[in-house]
Amino acid sequence: MAKLFIKQAEQYAAARPSYPTKLFEYIASKTPCHDLAWDVGAGSGQASRWLAGIYKNVIATDTSSKQLEFAAKLPNVRYEITPPTMSSSEIEKLVAPESSVDLVTVAQALHWFDLTNFYSNVKHVLKKPNGVIAAWCYTNPEVNAAVDKVFRRFYDEKLGPHWDKARRLVEDGYRGIEFPFEKVDNDESTESQSFPVRFVTEKEMVFEEYMTYLRSSSAYQTAKEKGLELLTEEMEGEFADSWKEDGKEKKVVRFPIYLLIGRVGEDRV
């Protein structure tokens, strides 16, 4: 998985959306203590920065050193490069002791994980019975009718054949992913009372920023490594024309977010 994002790490850090304050406030409200959070698959640290403002200490881990190079250096965040799978002893050495973590977060990465190994590690480090795991993904950008029409065709016809099969879990808003934890209750701060819990994040973009976002995708990079340029001059021209249609250079791009959140429970050992 990490190899898919190494070459476009700088693009990824610049183009990807941050997450809304409401998301982190909601998650933090479910953990009784705010001492220690573990951000797994931290990448360029979009989630780690937010957690650092709520939790006393944050451990941010990733398998890609290149991704972590672009993460903000904060006094209460410790970054660690970790292998894709870890034993309990490795977890205690690299991350945290058993039953010491208040919150585990995974932002836009759970679909890449070896879930059997990962969930075992989560259950090992989370405090019992109130330790919380929160994993979320965001789906395709929404701009306006004109841009979205071009995007849907580009996504289906151009990007589609080059996605890893794990991408299907994102397209489904994580509804089909294994999640063996006790659900926490929803509340009025979310957009719906469904599970996964839905939020929305927004990012203002000019046209070039939007195109950088498209180029930062793993499917685009996979195709490029095969010698295929998916954003041809013609394709980029279609995007440019649709972007100009409303006369606004800068637009608000919306990304739906789907959150899985649960507690480890007393019997989860």
Side-chain angles (χ1 to χ4, degrees):
M1 177 273 291
K3 293 178 181 177
L4 294 174
F5 296 98
I6 289 172
K7 291 186 177 180
Q8 78 270 29
E10 188 170 7
Q11 284 183 330
Y12 197 94
R16 294 284 148 163
S18 58
Y19 303 110
T21 302
K22 282 203 310 183
L23 173 68
F24 292 100
E25 290 176 343
Y26 176 79
I27 293 169
S29 73
K30 306 303 180 183
T31 60
C33 297
H34 296 159
D35 294 326
L36 181 60
W38 175 24
D39 186 26
V40 194
S44 50
Q46 288 97 331
S48 305
R49 289 194 297 271
W50 280 101
L51 294 170
I54 302 172
Y55 291 81
K56 292 179 182 177
N57 291 288
V58 177
I59 302 156
T61 64
D62 203 283
T63 59
S64 168
S65 59
K66 189 69 174 176
Q67 284 274 316
L68 291 178
E69 283 179 19
F70 295 97
K73 305 305 184 284
L74 299 168
N76 63 332
V77 179
R78 171 167 63 89
Y79 293 100
E80 288 284 350
I81 302 165
T82 56
T85 60
M86 290 183 280
S87 64
S88 296
S89 60
E90 286 175 313
I91 281 287
E92 295 199 4
K93 179 180 178 181
L94 296 173
V95 181
E98 183 177 3
S99 303
S100 65
V101 175
D102 297 298
L103 172 69
V104 174
T105 58
V106 190
Q108 197 70 3
L110 187 66
H111 50 288
W112 299 115
F113 290 2
D114 175 338
L115 293 180
T116 300
N117 178 260
F118 174 63
Y119 287 151
S120 175
N121 291 334
V122 169
K123 293 169 185 176
H124 186 77
V125 299
L126 277 180
K127 292 178 180 177
K128 284 80 173 176
N130 294 315
V132 168
I133 175 173
W136 64 92
C137 66
Y138 56 86
T139 53
N140 293 332
E142 300 170 356
V143 183
N144 59 34
V147 176
D148 293 352
K149 181 179 180 180
V150 178
F151 174 83
R152 281 192 295 272
R153 184 159 53 81
F154 174 69
Y155 187 90
D156 293 340
E157 298 177 8
K158 303 294 185 181
L159 292 177
H162 304 286
W163 286 118
D164 187 278
K165 62 181 181 180
R167 175 69 187 185
R168 295 171 190 163
L169 295 169
V170 175
E171 291 174 346
D172 195 35
Y174 276 179
R175 291 176 183 85
I177 204 165
E178 179 190 359
F179 195 70
F181 298 92
E182 298 174 5
K183 295 177 185 177
V184 302
D185 295 331
N186 294 350
D187 61 30
E188 66 278 359
S189 68
T190 62
E191 286 205 353
S192 74
Q193 297 300 300
S194 61
F195 192 82
V197 189
R198 190 177 187 274
F199 292 82
V200 173
T201 188
E202 297 180 345
K203 183 179 177 72
E204 278 196 331
M205 292 184 176
V206 297
F207 177 67
E208 284 306 320
E209 290 172 318
Y210 181 77
M211 299 307 290
T212 298
Y213 168 82
L214 297 183
R215 292 189 180 96
S216 72
S217 71
S218 60
Y220 176 86
Q221 294 295 325
T222 297
K224 194 166 187 176
E225 288 188 356
K226 297 175 182 176
L228 299 173
E229 176 53 66
L230 301 183
L231 282 168
T232 60
E233 185 175 341
E234 180 183 0
M235 189 77 252
E236 189 162 346
E238 289 188 47
F239 273 114
D241 289 342
S242 68
W243 194 270
K244 294 174 186 174
E245 194 167 300
D246 66 359
K248 298 177 182 178
E249 180 182 357
K250 184 173 285 189
K251 306 188 196 314
V252 174
V253 182
R254 291 167 54 88
F255 296 84
I257 294 174
Y258 296 91
L259 168 70
L260 298 173
I261 184 167
R263 290 191 177 91
V264 69
E266 291 198 43
D267 60 341
R268 305 289 187 176
V269 296

